[in-house]
Amino acid sequence: MSSWLDYTINGLIVGNVYALVAVGLALIFGVSRLINFAQGSIYLVGAYIGWVAVVQLHTPLPLTIILVAVVAALVGLIIERFGLRPLQNSVRIAPLLATIGISFVLDQLVMLTFSPNPRALPSQLPDVRFQVGGGTIGPLDLLIAGVGLTSALLLFAFLRYSKLGWAVRAASQDRDAAMQMGVDVNRVNQAVFGIAAALGGVSGLLVGMYYNQIDTAMSLQATLKGVVAEVVGGAGNVPGAVVGSLLLGLVESYGVAVFGTSYRNLFAFLLLVVVLVLRPNGLFASARQAPPEPLTGTFIAPSRPLRIPRWALLVTAAVFAILPFFPVSFYVLQTLINAWLLGMLALSLTLVAGTVGQVSLGHAALLAIGAYTSALLSLTLSVPVGLAIIAGGLMSAALGTLLISPSFRLRGHYVSIATLAIGEIVSLVILNWESVTRGPIGISGIPPLSLFGYDLISPASIYWFSFVVMVVLALLQGRLLGSHLGRSFRAIRDDDIAARAYGLSLNRYKSLAFIFGGFAAGVSGGIAAHLYSYINHETFNTQQSILALTVVILGGLGNVVGAIVGAVALVGLPEVFRIAAEYRILIYGIVLLLLVRFRPQGLLGTI
Amino acid sequence: MTSASGPLLALTGVNTFYGQAQVHFDLSITVARGHIVCLLGGNASGKSTTMKIILGLVKPRSGEVSFDGASLIGLTTPQIVRRGIASVPEARRLFADMSVRENILMGAFVRNDRDAVAQDLDKMLTLFPKLGQRLSQRAGSLSGGEQQMAAMARALMSRPRMIVMDEPTMGLSPLYVDRVLELIRTINREGVSVFMVEQNASLALDIAHEAYVLQTGRIVLSGPARELRDDPRIRDAYLGGAEAAT
């Protein structure tokens, strides 16, 4: 077995790699108060540029590193110029959503160009290991340490001695005051994105060499790890990001040593949640309190929602209700069933993100909880499926609210990070809790949908079942929003301080929203489990969370009808245009980007 | 470069909006070369927005802003700073995590003459001796009065032709208030014009050449500071309370 020294070395090396990502995130957060969710995609691009250089161009190692840094920096500059600069005067959530959209687009472009299959990325370094004390160290370890140290020194010198570096520091402390000293903030942004991207790209290259494997799933993982390290060190704090990264590397490495490889990420996200709850400004925030997030109200693009007359809604609902009587194909029904399931998830998210202003990026976890609860109850305890689905909804409501409650005290972007982490934690717990969830094997043979003892096998009956459930949930939500509860929710979203001053308990109302939203999402997950008959820990992933968010923004945040319209549009349009499956995520990313840029209030308007 | 005729700064017929709400109504203000001009007004009268208009941080919907005869409309804040306007923002706004020396040198960001910048730094330390002992400290650790000194030194480092100041005496102890006013006079004597926004009318009128009174976005009174000091309307609105208390 490897020694503790080996685990320490491994932890520091991996931490070094995280630091390259996290420092870039910290620089960007410092200057633009933005969590750049596209950072992992640049890391991915870096890894694949490195692969092209090493395997196809046979460049020597130093040239490979420079090539990767330059190309990645160019990608960063393009993102800044065309993706983010146009959003400068937009609502606060817009740049965050744009970076998510950009990351989808970049990841998919890489996947389409290079195929999703993993590739080997040889390091070109001799495979020898030196004995150091009780552990060993190889040339690649030294290279990573060297690159990390060199970058840190270069960055330090840049920030401390160059004029542009001073401008970066000044702008990150007080943007307006920096402008009044003559600092061109656009140039500062450009510099910061270029540097962050170069570092991120090189990080991807080194990681690929370290594991001698690259694949497109690296992107999201890198973003998540970078964000964890950055938040642990204190958002926007560059030296903090380095320390946070090394700490994260060590925690993971020791965690793996004690519990095994599949626990690696679990430790990362638990560390994040603990830090967010106990020290939301990071471990090193003493005097340097992170500036408060703007009031959540500015997160939602103001608009006048489209008024749809009641009869039009009734007629539309009636048309969809009698659709199976017409000779429509199985394929159409199947597509619409998917839309109704996504619609339920969107109802849940539009309540939480739109009405209460808590932009959740981990909503798929609620699906997973509902799905596993319902599947296990019906399979192992022979609970009737109808009841099991309701139990799944209740479990999502209870467990989901409980899990998310640590994030109730957070605001703005931190809510998004926390929910993302909680979503990952749920998926990792499912993976590791084998005695209950059957771990990586997943659950197969889930009984089909049934109601009062009758199995729902025909597409039409499944269609009706999911349609009616969704409509009932939508009506309930409509009632909820029309009551004083809806007003309180919106008050919390628009100005939580004022809401608190009027005696609204934020925790109570946020809990209520998550309970209701959790139920809707859990029911959707439950139905899906019985429909698919097989689920595992990856069935409900972050991609679905982001898809749901895109649906909700497309329909208009907080808009109940909009959520359903958005779901039908995003599920249906790719079918109508017969877009091949591998292009769909790319399309979703582009839709998100276009929406954020040109119609942040969505199709039907925010409420 | 300086055209000797005409005012240094002129706002003419400026109308400003925040969304639907109008902040300035047909605002016109001029600052003559070498003068100290103060803008008086209560809360929410549009004083700070006037500063932001001059600095290009807020764009007026209509009207003209010119400096030394050339329009500032459409220029970005950094471009305006390069024209020779420096600012001492409200609440100082130092770069808290940078050292005092770095803060002062940030004021010279638009300059490229290193040697002269170093000389100017020495000059600032004679003008503000207190800062000399604080140079390597974090700016955030200075007292309010010291921060005001540092912010003024920072503004002077760009060798501006005009300094705009937002409430330079706000939150300072009486001792520092006198020092700051004295320093503004000193700066002005060296040829720098000053446009300052103040709530404390009696102090501002003591050192200003001209003054304007802003009320809910409109200039309601203007003229030489000496005349305004004796104007009964000013006494009622701004100085009356103080006199009644004594």
PDB file of all heavy atoms in Angstrom, chain A residues 285-308:
ATOM      1  N   ALA A 285     -11.430  35.066   5.443  1.00  0.00           N
ATOM      2  CA  ALA A 285     -12.117  36.347   5.477  1.00  0.00           C
ATOM      3  C   ALA A 285     -12.110  36.851   6.912  1.00  0.00           C
ATOM      4  O   ALA A 285     -12.820  36.342   7.755  1.00  0.00           O
ATOM      5  CB  ALA A 285     -13.548  36.192   4.977  1.00  0.00           C
ATOM      6  N   SER A 286     -11.271  37.802   7.203  1.00  0.00           N
ATOM      7  CA  SER A 286     -11.346  38.424   8.519  1.00  0.00           C
ATOM      8  C   SER A 286     -11.842  39.837   8.309  1.00  0.00           C
ATOM      9  O   SER A 286     -13.017  40.139   8.480  1.00  0.00           O
ATOM     10  CB  SER A 286      -9.983  38.407   9.199  1.00  0.00           C
ATOM     11  OG  SER A 286      -8.992  38.850   8.287  1.00  0.00           O
ATOM     12  N   ALA A 287     -10.925  40.692   7.880  1.00  0.00           N
ATOM     13  CA  ALA A 287     -11.333  42.070   7.620  1.00  0.00           C
ATOM     14  C   ALA A 287     -11.953  42.170   6.227  1.00  0.00           C
ATOM     15  O   ALA A 287     -12.817  42.989   5.990  1.00  0.00           O
ATOM     16  CB  ALA A 287     -10.132  42.983   7.720  1.00  0.00           C
ATOM     17  N   ARG A 288     -11.479  41.308   5.317  1.00  0.00           N
ATOM     18  CA  ARG A 288     -11.924  41.478   3.937  1.00  0.00           C
ATOM     19  C   ARG A 288     -13.261  40.771   3.715  1.00  0.00           C
ATOM     20  O   ARG A 288     -13.364  39.754   3.051  1.00  0.00           O
ATOM     21  CB  ARG A 288     -10.864  40.985   2.961  1.00  0.00           C
ATOM     22  CG  ARG A 288     -10.319  39.607   3.261  1.00  0.00           C
ATOM     23  CD  ARG A 288      -9.783  38.860   2.093  1.00  0.00           C
ATOM     24  NE  ARG A 288      -8.934  39.572   1.178  1.00  0.00           N
ATOM     25  CZ  ARG A 288      -9.279  39.841  -0.069  1.00  0.00           C
ATOM     26  NH1 ARG A 288     -10.471  39.509  -0.505  1.00  0.00           N
ATOM     27  NH2 ARG A 288      -8.448  40.433  -0.877  1.00  0.00           N
ATOM     28  N   GLN A 289     -14.282  41.347   4.300  1.00  0.00           N
ATOM     29  CA  GLN A 289     -15.634  40.858   4.086  1.00  0.00           C
ATOM     30  C   GLN A 289     -15.969  40.989   2.602  1.00  0.00           C
ATOM     31  O   GLN A 289     -15.789  42.046   2.029  1.00  0.00           O
ATOM     32  CB  GLN A 289     -16.582  41.721   4.909  1.00  0.00           C
ATOM     33  CG  GLN A 289     -18.037  41.448   4.666  1.00  0.00           C
ATOM     34  CD  GLN A 289     -18.633  40.716   5.834  1.00  0.00           C
ATOM     35  OE1 GLN A 289     -18.019  40.610   6.880  1.00  0.00           O
ATOM     36  NE2 GLN A 289     -19.827  40.217   5.672  1.00  0.00           N
ATOM     37  N   ALA A 290     -16.426  39.888   2.004  1.00  0.00           N
ATOM     38  CA  ALA A 290     -16.836  39.980   0.605  1.00  0.00           C
ATOM     39  C   ALA A 290     -17.977  40.977   0.512  1.00  0.00           C
ATOM     40  O   ALA A 290     -18.832  41.026   1.383  1.00  0.00           O
ATOM     41  CB  ALA A 290     -17.291  38.613   0.100  1.00  0.00           C
ATOM     42  N   PRO A 291     -17.957  41.791  -0.533  1.00  0.00           N
ATOM     43  CA  PRO A 291     -19.020  42.777  -0.655  1.00  0.00           C
ATOM     44  C   PRO A 291     -20.370  42.074  -0.773  1.00  0.00           C
ATOM     45  O   PRO A 291     -20.457  41.016  -1.383  1.00  0.00           O
ATOM     46  CB  PRO A 291     -18.678  43.522  -1.941  1.00  0.00           C
ATOM     47  CG  PRO A 291     -17.728  42.651  -2.660  1.00  0.00           C
ATOM     48  CD  PRO A 291     -17.042  41.786  -1.658  1.00  0.00           C
ATOM     49  N   PRO A 292     -21.395  42.628  -0.177  1.00  0.00           N
ATOM     50  CA  PRO A 292     -22.686  41.944  -0.203  1.00  0.00           C
ATOM     51  C   PRO A 292     -23.200  41.805  -1.629  1.00  0.00           C
ATOM     52  O   PRO A 292     -22.948  42.663  -2.464  1.00  0.00           O
ATOM     53  CB  PRO A 292     -23.593  42.861   0.615  1.00  0.00           C
ATOM     54  CG  PRO A 292     -22.930  44.187   0.574  1.00  0.00           C
ATOM     55  CD  PRO A 292     -21.464  43.932   0.478  1.00  0.00           C
ATOM     56  N   GLU A 293     -23.863  40.707  -1.892  1.00  0.00           N
ATOM     57  CA  GLU A 293     -24.499  40.529  -3.188  1.00  0.00           C
ATOM     58  C   GLU A 293     -25.589  41.585  -3.317  1.00  0.00           C
ATOM     59  O   GLU A 293     -26.159  42.013  -2.325  1.00  0.00           O
ATOM     60  CB  GLU A 293     -25.159  39.142  -3.240  1.00  0.00           C
ATOM     61  CG  GLU A 293     -24.171  38.013  -3.285  1.00  0.00           C
ATOM     62  CD  GLU A 293     -23.687  37.758  -4.694  1.00  0.00           C
ATOM     63  OE1 GLU A 293     -24.262  38.321  -5.626  1.00  0.00           O
ATOM     64  OE2 GLU A 293     -22.729  36.993  -4.832  1.00  0.00           O
ATOM     65  N   PRO A 294     -25.863  42.003  -4.518  1.00  0.00           N
ATOM     66  CA  PRO A 294     -26.960  42.956  -4.677  1.00  0.00           C
ATOM     67  C   PRO A 294     -28.269  42.296  -4.251  1.00  0.00           C
ATOM     68  O   PRO A 294     -28.360  41.076  -4.223  1.00  0.00           O
ATOM     69  CB  PRO A 294     -26.963  43.245  -6.165  1.00  0.00           C
ATOM     70  CG  PRO A 294     -26.298  42.079  -6.781  1.00  0.00           C
ATOM     71  CD  PRO A 294     -25.302  41.580  -5.776  1.00  0.00           C
ATOM     72  N   LEU A 295     -29.247  43.107  -3.916  1.00  0.00           N
ATOM     73  CA  LEU A 295     -30.530  42.553  -3.501  1.00  0.00           C
ATOM     74  C   LEU A 295     -31.044  41.622  -4.575  1.00  0.00           C
ATOM     75  O   LEU A 295     -30.893  41.877  -5.757  1.00  0.00           O
ATOM     76  CB  LEU A 295     -31.523  43.692  -3.269  1.00  0.00           C
ATOM     77  CG  LEU A 295     -31.077  44.608  -2.144  1.00  0.00           C
ATOM     78  CD1 LEU A 295     -32.057  45.746  -1.969  1.00  0.00           C
ATOM     79  CD2 LEU A 295     -30.961  43.836  -0.841  1.00  0.00           C
ATOM     80  N   THR A 296     -31.656  40.550  -4.120  1.00  0.00           N
ATOM     81  CA  THR A 296     -32.009  39.505  -5.059  1.00  0.00           C
ATOM     82  C   THR A 296     -32.977  39.990  -6.134  1.00  0.00           C
ATOM     83  O   THR A 296     -33.032  39.435  -7.198  1.00  0.00           O
ATOM     84  CB  THR A 296     -32.621  38.310  -4.317  1.00  0.00           C
ATOM     85  OG1 THR A 296     -33.362  38.804  -3.217  1.00  0.00           O
ATOM     86  CG2 THR A 296     -31.557  37.368  -3.853  1.00  0.00           C
ATOM     87  N   GLY A 297     -33.750  41.027  -5.828  1.00  0.00           N
ATOM     88  CA  GLY A 297     -34.726  41.516  -6.800  1.00  0.00           C
ATOM     89  C   GLY A 297     -34.089  41.857  -8.133  1.00  0.00           C
ATOM     90  O   GLY A 297     -34.685  41.648  -9.178  1.00  0.00           O
ATOM     91  N   THR A 298     -32.869  42.372  -8.085  1.00  0.00           N
ATOM     92  CA  THR A 298     -32.223  42.759  -9.327  1.00  0.00           C
ATOM     93  C   THR A 298     -31.802  41.544 -10.141  1.00  0.00           C
ATOM     94  O   THR A 298     -31.272  41.678 -11.225  1.00  0.00           O
ATOM     95  CB  THR A 298     -30.977  43.607  -9.036  1.00  0.00           C
ATOM     96  OG1 THR A 298     -30.190  42.903  -8.069  1.00  0.00           O
ATOM     97  CG2 THR A 298     -31.337  44.949  -8.475  1.00  0.00           C
ATOM     98  N   PHE A 299     -32.044  40.347  -9.608  1.00  0.00           N
ATOM     99  CA  PHE A 299     -31.698  39.139 -10.342  1.00  0.00           C
ATOM    100  C   PHE A 299     -32.688  38.853 -11.461  1.00  0.00           C
ATOM    101  O   PHE A 299     -32.372  38.185 -12.405  1.00  0.00           O
ATOM    102  CB  PHE A 299     -31.689  37.935  -9.390  1.00  0.00           C
ATOM    103  CG  PHE A 299     -30.335  37.641  -8.866  1.00  0.00           C
ATOM    104  CD1 PHE A 299     -29.656  38.596  -8.158  1.00  0.00           C
ATOM    105  CD2 PHE A 299     -29.727  36.431  -9.092  1.00  0.00           C
ATOM    106  CE1 PHE A 299     -28.390  38.356  -7.687  1.00  0.00           C
ATOM    107  CE2 PHE A 299     -28.465  36.162  -8.616  1.00  0.00           C
ATOM    108  CZ  PHE A 299     -27.800  37.135  -7.909  1.00  0.00           C
ATOM    109  N   ILE A 300     -33.895  39.311 -11.298  1.00  0.00           N
ATOM    110  CA  ILE A 300     -34.945  38.943 -12.234  1.00  0.00           C
ATOM    111  C   ILE A 300     -35.184  40.104 -13.179  1.00  0.00           C
ATOM    112  O   ILE A 300     -35.364  41.232 -12.746  1.00  0.00           O
ATOM    113  CB  ILE A 300     -36.251  38.650 -11.461  1.00  0.00           C
ATOM    114  CG1 ILE A 300     -35.991  37.676 -10.328  1.00  0.00           C
ATOM    115  CG2 ILE A 300     -37.327  38.170 -12.392  1.00  0.00           C
ATOM    116  CD1 ILE A 300     -35.676  36.281 -10.752  1.00  0.00           C
ATOM    117  N   ALA A 301     -35.156  39.804 -14.479  1.00  0.00           N
ATOM    118  CA  ALA A 301     -35.430  40.858 -15.442  1.00  0.00           C
ATOM    119  C   ALA A 301     -36.871  41.329 -15.260  1.00  0.00           C
ATOM    120  O   ALA A 301     -37.791  40.521 -15.295  1.00  0.00           O
ATOM    121  CB  ALA A 301     -35.233  40.321 -16.857  1.00  0.00           C
ATOM    122  N   PRO A 302     -37.080  42.616 -15.044  1.00  0.00           N
ATOM    123  CA  PRO A 302     -38.446  43.083 -14.852  1.00  0.00           C
ATOM    124  C   PRO A 302     -39.195  43.027 -16.180  1.00  0.00           C
ATOM    125  O   PRO A 302     -38.621  43.270 -17.234  1.00  0.00           O
ATOM    126  CB  PRO A 302     -38.253  44.532 -14.393  1.00  0.00           C
ATOM    127  CG  PRO A 302     -36.927  44.934 -14.926  1.00  0.00           C
ATOM    128  CD  PRO A 302     -36.095  43.702 -15.048  1.00  0.00           C
ATOM    129  N   SER A 303     -40.454  42.695 -16.117  1.00  0.00           N
ATOM    130  CA  SER A 303     -41.225  42.676 -17.355  1.00  0.00           C
ATOM    131  C   SER A 303     -42.700  42.682 -17.021  1.00  0.00           C
ATOM    132  O   SER A 303     -43.089  42.449 -15.888  1.00  0.00           O
ATOM    133  CB  SER A 303     -40.912  41.425 -18.177  1.00  0.00           C
ATOM    134  OG  SER A 303     -41.564  40.306 -17.612  1.00  0.00           O
ATOM    135  N   ARG A 304     -43.500  42.937 -18.027  1.00  0.00           N
ATOM    136  CA  ARG A 304     -44.941  42.837 -17.844  1.00  0.00           C
ATOM    137  C   ARG A 304     -45.353  41.482 -18.410  1.00  0.00           C
ATOM    138  O   ARG A 304     -45.234  41.258 -19.614  1.00  0.00           O
ATOM    139  CB  ARG A 304     -45.634  43.979 -18.587  1.00  0.00           C
ATOM    140  CG  ARG A 304     -47.067  44.188 -18.155  1.00  0.00           C
ATOM    141  CD  ARG A 304     -47.597  45.492 -18.724  1.00  0.00           C
ATOM    142  NE  ARG A 304     -46.882  46.650 -18.192  1.00  0.00           N
ATOM    143  CZ  ARG A 304     -46.772  47.800 -18.838  1.00  0.00           C
ATOM    144  NH1 ARG A 304     -47.283  47.938 -20.035  1.00  0.00           N
ATOM    145  NH2 ARG A 304     -46.135  48.814 -18.284  1.00  0.00           N
ATOM    146  N   PRO A 305     -45.788  40.569 -17.540  1.00  0.00           N
ATOM    147  CA  PRO A 305     -46.091  39.225 -18.051  1.00  0.00           C
ATOM    148  C   PRO A 305     -47.242  39.259 -19.039  1.00  0.00           C
ATOM    149  O   PRO A 305     -48.164  40.065 -18.924  1.00  0.00           O
ATOM    150  CB  PRO A 305     -46.456  38.436 -16.806  1.00  0.00           C
ATOM    151  CG  PRO A 305     -46.790  39.451 -15.777  1.00  0.00           C
ATOM    152  CD  PRO A 305     -46.010  40.682 -16.098  1.00  0.00           C
ATOM    153  N   LEU A 306     -47.140  38.355 -20.003  1.00  0.00           N
ATOM    154  CA  LEU A 306     -48.183  38.225 -21.007  1.00  0.00           C
ATOM    155  C   LEU A 306     -49.446  37.690 -20.341  1.00  0.00           C
ATOM    156  O   LEU A 306     -49.395  36.689 -19.635  1.00  0.00           O
ATOM    157  CB  LEU A 306     -47.691  37.224 -22.058  1.00  0.00           C
ATOM    158  CG  LEU A 306     -48.281  37.301 -23.443  1.00  0.00           C
ATOM    159  CD1 LEU A 306     -47.879  38.602 -24.113  1.00  0.00           C
ATOM    160  CD2 LEU A 306     -47.762  36.116 -24.254  1.00  0.00           C
ATOM    161  N   ARG A 307     -50.568  38.355 -20.563  1.00  0.00           N
ATOM    162  CA  ARG A 307     -51.831  37.865 -19.990  1.00  0.00           C
ATOM    163  C   ARG A 307     -52.475  36.891 -20.971  1.00  0.00           C
ATOM    164  O   ARG A 307     -52.764  37.259 -22.102  1.00  0.00           O
ATOM    165  CB  ARG A 307     -52.779  39.030 -19.721  1.00  0.00           C
ATOM    166  CG  ARG A 307     -52.452  39.791 -18.478  1.00  0.00           C
ATOM    167  CD  ARG A 307     -53.635  39.784 -17.500  1.00  0.00           C
ATOM    168  NE  ARG A 307     -53.166  40.058 -16.144  1.00  0.00           N
ATOM    169  CZ  ARG A 307     -52.830  39.111 -15.280  1.00  0.00           C
ATOM    170  NH1 ARG A 307     -52.946  37.843 -15.587  1.00  0.00           N
ATOM    171  NH2 ARG A 307     -52.396  39.428 -14.069  1.00  0.00           N
ATOM    172  N   ILE A 308     -52.685  35.683 -20.531  1.00  0.00           N
ATOM    173  CA  ILE A 308     -53.343  34.718 -21.408  1.00  0.00           C
ATOM    174  C   ILE A 308     -54.759  34.541 -20.900  1.00  0.00           C
ATOM    175  O   ILE A 308     -54.955  34.213 -19.722  1.00  0.00           O
ATOM    176  CB  ILE A 308     -52.605  33.370 -21.390  1.00  0.00           C
ATOM    177  CG1 ILE A 308     -51.154  33.580 -21.813  1.00  0.00           C
ATOM    178  CG2 ILE A 308     -53.291  32.368 -22.305  1.00  0.00           C
ATOM    179  CD1 ILE A 308     -50.303  32.366 -21.637  1.00  0.00           C
TER     180      ILE A 308
END
